[in-house]
Amino acid sequence: MIKRTLFFGNPAYLSTKNEQLHISFPEADKVDRTVPIEDLGMIVLENQQITITNGLLAKLTDRKVAIVSCNAQHLPEGLLLPMQGHTEQTERVRYQLEASQPLKKNLWQQTVTAKIKNQHALLQEKGKESKRMEYLYKNVNSGDSGNHEAQAAAIYWQELFDIPDFNRAQAGIPPNNLLNYGYAILRAVIARALVSSGMLPGVGIWHRNKYNAYCLADDIMEPYRPYVDLMVSHIVETQDDYSELSTELKKELLSIPALDVKIDGQKSPLMVAASRTTSSLFECFAGISRKIIYPEYG
Amino acid sequence: MDEKYFSRLNQYRSLWVLVFFDLPTETRKDRKIATSFRKKLLDDGFAMFQFSIYMRFCASRENAEVHIKRTKKNLPPKGKVGIMAITDKQFGMMEIFYGTKKQETEPPSQQLELF
């Protein structure tokens, strides 16, 4: 089932009662609300004046709700996930840690292929044909030794938006701000799925930057990025001003977990597909399967 | 973005589970059983609609089945309980009155909610 996302942009007191998330507001005239914890997938705490009880935090982590806290600039800063995400956690982590180098390279090859293929499909949908991209995804080497990922990215970012001199950078010109936000949400969704499949999101198959706490999440989210790009390009095409991350725009980006994707021949919400991907990843680590199941754009 | 990208979440797929009950409250023990049944409904995310009618929004049929099954497991030994699931579309067509004044029906739980 698709889990719900709650976004708190106003002051609120969050506690728990009857196994529910209980929300009350400092304003006297606002009525309290309750939400079943088991229906939740992610909560985003954006306002600085949110009070949350430990009892609630414990129940949320127990239900594997990803809790995203934001800094004073309203940008996602921290992610709280349970220590135990799966009953077979320790065994699964061992499989992950013991994965051989050739296996990891093979998984990375599959990941890059799926990513470029999705990027290509998105460009194609926008009427921007690229023969070069097609060549790149059809010829990814083990471990992407030819670095096709970067070559494809160079073409992709030039083509995707009709913005002169656009390039993808953390502090780049808009819509980089939208992309950063969207990817942060996507990352939380993927990290949550990884943890609930019993894996460590910190130990990647390709990403291994020592400053990055979510290497595996960053690996696995690659083929999902074009869905964020789709949403951002939709915003760019329909909104006049997107230089500021308004609540309206955040609302749009926060619906990413509910976006329809096609996975394994079926239509499914992105958040559900993410779990499908992470469980197939575990099967690869455990030697049960050789294929990670990624969504296919289009 | 438009609905075509969110087809899994529509009014015909999402359900409301309604639980109606009449439980004996003659003895202290009966009352205790009735209270615990009610408490379990609350723990399961049901909300009171009327004194002995509780309801819960479920995003899918599978999810509704989970909560129906749970309610069935908690049934009290005596008393009458009805469980019904209707689509969000049907639920939305219900007319509710306070006196003669018309009231809005409960909106379904959104997949994304901003507070």
Side-chain angles (χ1 to χ4, degrees):
Chain A
M1 186 189 89
I2 173 77
K3 300 278 184 178
R4 289 167 61 186
T5 304
L6 302 184
F7 175 87
F8 293 94
N10 291 305
Y13 304 118
L14 309 181
S15 57
T16 174
K17 193 180 167 190
N18 291 332
E19 303 300 312
Q20 314 295 304
L21 165 63
H22 190 99
I23 307 155
S24 51
F25 304 94
E27 296 94 333
D29 56 332
K30 259 186 169 172
V31 278
D32 291 7
R33 285 280 310 275
T34 59
V35 183
I37 291 174
E38 64 180 315
D39 291 2
L40 296 177
M42 175 153 77
I43 67 172
V44 182
L45 306 172
E46 201 218 48
N47 198 279
Q48 299 289 295
Q49 295 171 56
I50 293 170
T51 313
I52 184 163
T53 66
N54 184 40
L56 176 63
L57 282 177
K59 279 182 188 172
L60 288 171
T61 39
D62 182 55
R63 291 291 185 170
K64 298 174 202 46
V65 181
I67 303 163
V68 179
S69 66
C70 299
N71 60 17
Q73 280 72 48
H74 309 292
L75 293 171
E77 177 82 39
L79 178 58
L80 178 61
L81 290 165
M83 289 181 88
Q84 165 134 29
H86 194 276
T87 43
E88 295 170 2
Q89 178 98 5
T90 314
E91 187 190 49
R92 289 186 166 223
V93 166
R94 199 164 50 235
Y95 278 124
Q96 181 189 353
L97 294 178
E98 285 170 359
S100 68
Q101 205 55 38
L103 173 65
K104 286 189 197 169
K105 282 189 170 171
N106 175 277
L107 294 175
W108 184 239
Q109 178 187 21
Q110 290 186 43
T111 306
V112 172
T113 306
K115 178 188 183 182
I116 305 177
K117 209 170 169 180
N118 285 351
Q119 288 180 327
H120 174 72
L122 177 59
L123 286 187
Q124 214 170 21
E125 192 182 72
K126 297 199 169 291
K128 292 162 183 167
E129 189 62 58
S130 170
K131 277 269 175 288
R132 175 89 184 130
M133 293 274 283
E134 203 175 326
Y135 167 80
L136 287 172
Y137 79 71
K138 282 184 176 156
N139 296 286
V140 180
N141 292 328
S142 171
D144 190 24
S145 55
N147 207 2
H148 285 192
E149 187 194 13
Q151 292 183 45
I155 304 169
Y156 180 68
W157 292 116
Q158 277 306 309
E159 295 284 325
L160 184 60
F161 303 112
D162 293 317
I163 301 168
D165 300 327
F166 179 83
N167 66 343
R168 172 76 192 121
Q170 275 291 326
I173 54 164
N176 272 298
N177 54 345
L178 303 180
L179 291 167
N180 294 341
Y181 196 85
Y183 291 152
I185 298 300
L186 178 63
R187 198 187 202 198
V189 171
I190 302 288
R192 175 184 177 277
L194 284 169
V195 169
S196 55
S197 296
M199 279 171 288
L200 290 176
V203 183
I205 51 178
W206 182 256
H207 286 92
R208 45 178 297 175
N209 186 326
K210 69 172 174 181
Y211 303 108
N212 184 352
Y214 291 101
C215 290
L216 187 59
D218 288 348
D219 288 331
I220 300 306
M221 71 189 262
E222 293 293 357
Y224 283 89
R225 285 179 191 261
Y227 295 101
V228 176
D229 306 339
L230 162 75
M231 197 156 260
V232 170
S233 75
H234 177 80
I235 293 172
V236 169
E237 282 159 17
T238 54
Q239 305 277 340
D240 295 328
D241 182 21
Y242 48 84
S243 53
E244 286 287 323
L245 254 178
S246 64
T247 313
E248 203 44 51
L249 293 178
K250 280 181 196 162
K251 189 176 172 185
E252 192 116 346
L253 291 166
L254 281 163
S255 62
I256 286 169
L259 200 64
D260 277 337
V261 307
K262 209 173 90 193
I263 187 160
D264 217 6
Q266 277 189 342
K267 233 184 194 184
S268 137
L270 189 144
M271 191 185 258
V272 178
S275 298
R276 190 88 181 78
T277 299
T278 56
S279 70
S280 74
L281 173 67
F282 165 72
E283 288 180 355
C284 292
F285 282 145
I288 303 165
S289 157
R290 294 186 58 80
K291 195 170 182 293
I292 319 184
I293 298 165
Y294 279 124
E296 273 185 54
Y297 189 87
Chain B
M1 292 210 301
D2 56 20
E3 261 170 45
K4 110 173 179 213
Y5 295 102
F6 299 98
S7 67
R8 297 283 304 174
L9 304 159
N10 69 35
Q11 287 187 300
Y12 295 94
R13 278 181 195 268
S14 46
L15 298 172
W16 286 83
V17 175
L18 295 145
V19 176
F20 315 86
F21 55 86
D22 265 336
L23 301 179
T25 49
E26 303 299 307
T27 64
R28 193 179 248 275
K29 196 179 157 213
D30 283 344
R31 280 195 293 278
K32 197 172 168 173
I33 291 172
T35 311
S36 118
F37 179 68
R38 189 182 151 277
K39 174 78 166 49
K40 279 176 188 155
L41 284 176
L42 289 174
D43 283 350
D44 197 25
F46 280 84
M48 189 168 86
F49 179 62
Q50 288 184 356
F51 280 123
S52 53
I53 302 177
Y54 281 69
M55 59 179 190
R56 190 192 203 284
F57 178 78
C58 298
S60 66
R61 179 162 297 276
E62 293 80 3
N63 185 236
E65 273 160 17
V66 169
H67 295 286
I68 291 172
K69 213 167 150 186
R70 239 180 250 171
T71 309
K72 282 184 189 164
K73 228 176 80 192
N74 294 331
L75 286 179
K78 284 185 285 181
K80 186 172 180 180
V81 178
I83 305 172
M84 179 166 85
I86 56 172
T87 62
D88 182 42
K89 185 75 186 167
Q90 291 166 322
F91 186 84
M93 288 190 296
M94 172 165 57
E95 293 184 280
I96 301 175
F97 299 93
Y98 271 102
T100 51
K101 216 175 138 215
K102 195 156 182 169
Q103 263 258 319
E104 283 294 305
T105 41
E106 180 101 347
S109 311
Q110 297 294 314
Q111 196 280 323
L112 169 67
E113 266 188 279
L114 288 86
F115 291 95

PDB file of all heavy atoms in Angstrom, chain A residues 9-23:
ATOM      1  N   GLY A   9       4.566  22.434   8.163  1.00  0.00           N
ATOM      2  CA  GLY A   9       5.181  23.721   7.864  1.00  0.00           C
ATOM      3  C   GLY A   9       4.773  24.795   8.859  1.00  0.00           C
ATOM      4  O   GLY A   9       5.197  25.938   8.748  1.00  0.00           O
ATOM      5  N   ASN A  10       3.918  24.436   9.821  1.00  0.00           N
ATOM      6  CA  ASN A  10       3.453  25.392  10.824  1.00  0.00           C
ATOM      7  C   ASN A  10       3.749  24.851  12.218  1.00  0.00           C
ATOM      8  O   ASN A  10       3.953  23.657  12.384  1.00  0.00           O
ATOM      9  CB  ASN A  10       1.947  25.619  10.672  1.00  0.00           C
ATOM     10  CG  ASN A  10       1.620  26.365   9.406  1.00  0.00           C
ATOM     11  OD1 ASN A  10       2.147  27.444   9.161  1.00  0.00           O
ATOM     12  ND2 ASN A  10       0.786  25.773   8.578  1.00  0.00           N
ATOM     13  N   PRO A  11       3.756  25.721  13.234  1.00  0.00           N
ATOM     14  CA  PRO A  11       3.995  25.233  14.595  1.00  0.00           C
ATOM     15  C   PRO A  11       2.960  24.175  14.980  1.00  0.00           C
ATOM     16  O   PRO A  11       1.778  24.313  14.655  1.00  0.00           O
ATOM     17  CB  PRO A  11       3.828  26.483  15.454  1.00  0.00           C
ATOM     18  CG  PRO A  11       4.116  27.616  14.533  1.00  0.00           C
ATOM     19  CD  PRO A  11       3.623  27.180  13.193  1.00  0.00           C
ATOM     20  N   ALA A  12       3.425  23.113  15.626  1.00  0.00           N
ATOM     21  CA  ALA A  12       2.502  22.049  16.030  1.00  0.00           C
ATOM     22  C   ALA A  12       3.110  21.247  17.169  1.00  0.00           C
ATOM     23  O   ALA A  12       4.328  21.219  17.332  1.00  0.00           O
ATOM     24  CB  ALA A  12       2.214  21.124  14.851  1.00  0.00           C
ATOM     25  N   TYR A  13       2.237  20.646  17.973  1.00  0.00           N
ATOM     26  CA  TYR A  13       2.687  19.710  19.004  1.00  0.00           C
ATOM     27  C   TYR A  13       2.331  18.314  18.527  1.00  0.00           C
ATOM     28  O   TYR A  13       1.172  18.034  18.269  1.00  0.00           O
ATOM     29  CB  TYR A  13       1.986  19.963  20.336  1.00  0.00           C
ATOM     30  CG  TYR A  13       2.132  21.365  20.855  1.00  0.00           C
ATOM     31  CD1 TYR A  13       1.023  22.177  21.026  1.00  0.00           C
ATOM     32  CD2 TYR A  13       3.392  21.865  21.183  1.00  0.00           C
ATOM     33  CE1 TYR A  13       1.161  23.472  21.493  1.00  0.00           C
ATOM     34  CE2 TYR A  13       3.533  23.159  21.645  1.00  0.00           C
ATOM     35  CZ  TYR A  13       2.416  23.958  21.797  1.00  0.00           C
ATOM     36  OH  TYR A  13       2.549  25.224  22.250  1.00  0.00           O
ATOM     37  N   LEU A  14       3.328  17.462  18.437  1.00  0.00           N
ATOM     38  CA  LEU A  14       3.069  16.107  17.957  1.00  0.00           C
ATOM     39  C   LEU A  14       3.270  15.129  19.102  1.00  0.00           C
ATOM     40  O   LEU A  14       4.319  15.114  19.741  1.00  0.00           O
ATOM     41  CB  LEU A  14       4.019  15.757  16.810  1.00  0.00           C
ATOM     42  CG  LEU A  14       4.087  16.772  15.668  1.00  0.00           C
ATOM     43  CD1 LEU A  14       5.033  16.289  14.602  1.00  0.00           C
ATOM     44  CD2 LEU A  14       2.712  16.992  15.080  1.00  0.00           C
ATOM     45  N   SER A  15       2.249  14.324  19.343  1.00  0.00           N
ATOM     46  CA  SER A  15       2.359  13.322  20.403  1.00  0.00           C
ATOM     47  C   SER A  15       1.604  12.081  19.954  1.00  0.00           C
ATOM     48  O   SER A  15       1.183  11.993  18.796  1.00  0.00           O
ATOM     49  CB  SER A  15       1.785  13.875  21.701  1.00  0.00           C
ATOM     50  OG  SER A  15       0.458  14.270  21.483  1.00  0.00           O
ATOM     51  N   THR A  16       1.440  11.132  20.862  1.00  0.00           N
ATOM     52  CA  THR A  16       0.751   9.915  20.452  1.00  0.00           C
ATOM     53  C   THR A  16      -0.324   9.548  21.461  1.00  0.00           C
ATOM     54  O   THR A  16      -0.171   9.765  22.662  1.00  0.00           O
ATOM     55  CB  THR A  16       1.737   8.751  20.245  1.00  0.00           C
ATOM     56  OG1 THR A  16       1.006   7.565  19.993  1.00  0.00           O
ATOM     57  CG2 THR A  16       2.646   8.556  21.436  1.00  0.00           C
ATOM     58  N   LYS A  17      -1.417   9.023  20.936  1.00  0.00           N
ATOM     59  CA  LYS A  17      -2.552   8.634  21.758  1.00  0.00           C
ATOM     60  C   LYS A  17      -3.289   7.550  20.997  1.00  0.00           C
ATOM     61  O   LYS A  17      -3.457   7.680  19.771  1.00  0.00           O
ATOM     62  CB  LYS A  17      -3.459   9.856  21.945  1.00  0.00           C
ATOM     63  CG  LYS A  17      -4.497   9.694  23.023  1.00  0.00           C
ATOM     64  CD  LYS A  17      -5.303  10.982  23.091  1.00  0.00           C
ATOM     65  CE  LYS A  17      -6.549  10.800  23.912  1.00  0.00           C
ATOM     66  NZ  LYS A  17      -7.446  11.941  23.793  1.00  0.00           N
ATOM     67  N   ASN A  18      -3.691   6.484  21.650  1.00  0.00           N
ATOM     68  CA  ASN A  18      -4.385   5.368  20.983  1.00  0.00           C
ATOM     69  C   ASN A  18      -3.605   4.856  19.766  1.00  0.00           C
ATOM     70  O   ASN A  18      -4.194   4.581  18.722  1.00  0.00           O
ATOM     71  CB  ASN A  18      -5.773   5.787  20.504  1.00  0.00           C
ATOM     72  CG  ASN A  18      -6.730   6.032  21.643  1.00  0.00           C
ATOM     73  OD1 ASN A  18      -6.586   5.429  22.705  1.00  0.00           O
ATOM     74  ND2 ASN A  18      -7.669   6.925  21.455  1.00  0.00           N
ATOM     75  N   GLU A  19      -2.319   4.749  19.857  1.00  0.00           N
ATOM     76  CA  GLU A  19      -1.486   4.286  18.734  1.00  0.00           C
ATOM     77  C   GLU A  19      -1.566   5.205  17.519  1.00  0.00           C
ATOM     78  O   GLU A  19      -1.196   4.816  16.413  1.00  0.00           O
ATOM     79  CB  GLU A  19      -1.850   2.851  18.305  1.00  0.00           C
ATOM     80  CG  GLU A  19      -1.762   1.810  19.403  1.00  0.00           C
ATOM     81  CD  GLU A  19      -0.380   1.684  19.990  1.00  0.00           C
ATOM     82  OE1 GLU A  19       0.583   1.596  19.215  1.00  0.00           O
ATOM     83  OE2 GLU A  19      -0.260   1.695  21.235  1.00  0.00           O
ATOM     84  N   GLN A  20      -2.096   6.396  17.704  1.00  0.00           N
ATOM     85  CA  GLN A  20      -2.209   7.328  16.580  1.00  0.00           C
ATOM     86  C   GLN A  20      -1.240   8.483  16.780  1.00  0.00           C
ATOM     87  O   GLN A  20      -0.809   8.751  17.900  1.00  0.00           O
ATOM     88  CB  GLN A  20      -3.629   7.907  16.497  1.00  0.00           C
ATOM     89  CG  GLN A  20      -4.737   6.898  16.622  1.00  0.00           C
ATOM     90  CD  GLN A  20      -4.747   5.926  15.476  1.00  0.00           C
ATOM     91  OE1 GLN A  20      -4.819   6.322  14.327  1.00  0.00           O
ATOM     92  NE2 GLN A  20      -4.652   4.644  15.782  1.00  0.00           N
ATOM     93  N   LEU A  21      -0.924   9.141  15.657  1.00  0.00           N
ATOM     94  CA  LEU A  21      -0.184  10.391  15.740  1.00  0.00           C
ATOM     95  C   LEU A  21      -1.187  11.489  16.053  1.00  0.00           C
ATOM     96  O   LEU A  21      -2.174  11.651  15.333  1.00  0.00           O
ATOM     97  CB  LEU A  21       0.520  10.662  14.405  1.00  0.00           C
ATOM     98  CG  LEU A  21       1.072  12.061  14.141  1.00  0.00           C
ATOM     99  CD1 LEU A  21       2.150  12.408  15.134  1.00  0.00           C
ATOM    100  CD2 LEU A  21       1.632  12.140  12.734  1.00  0.00           C
ATOM    101  N   HIS A  22      -0.957  12.181  17.154  1.00  0.00           N
ATOM    102  CA  HIS A  22      -1.903  13.196  17.583  1.00  0.00           C
ATOM    103  C   HIS A  22      -1.295  14.578  17.336  1.00  0.00           C
ATOM    104  O   HIS A  22      -0.203  14.862  17.804  1.00  0.00           O
ATOM    105  CB  HIS A  22      -2.206  12.993  19.075  1.00  0.00           C
ATOM    106  CG  HIS A  22      -3.328  13.831  19.555  1.00  0.00           C
ATOM    107  ND1 HIS A  22      -4.611  13.336  19.688  1.00  0.00           N
ATOM    108  CD2 HIS A  22      -3.386  15.124  19.919  1.00  0.00           C
ATOM    109  CE1 HIS A  22      -5.390  14.310  20.120  1.00  0.00           C
ATOM    110  NE2 HIS A  22      -4.681  15.402  20.265  1.00  0.00           N
ATOM    111  N   ILE A  23      -2.014  15.391  16.585  1.00  0.00           N
ATOM    112  CA  ILE A  23      -1.489  16.715  16.231  1.00  0.00           C
ATOM    113  C   ILE A  23      -2.338  17.778  16.907  1.00  0.00           C
ATOM    114  O   ILE A  23      -3.550  17.825  16.707  1.00  0.00           O
ATOM    115  CB  ILE A  23      -1.556  16.940  14.702  1.00  0.00           C
ATOM    116  CG1 ILE A  23      -0.882  15.783  13.969  1.00  0.00           C
ATOM    117  CG2 ILE A  23      -0.922  18.264  14.309  1.00  0.00           C
ATOM    118  CD1 ILE A  23      -1.392  15.577  12.558  1.00  0.00           C
TER     119      ILE A  23
END
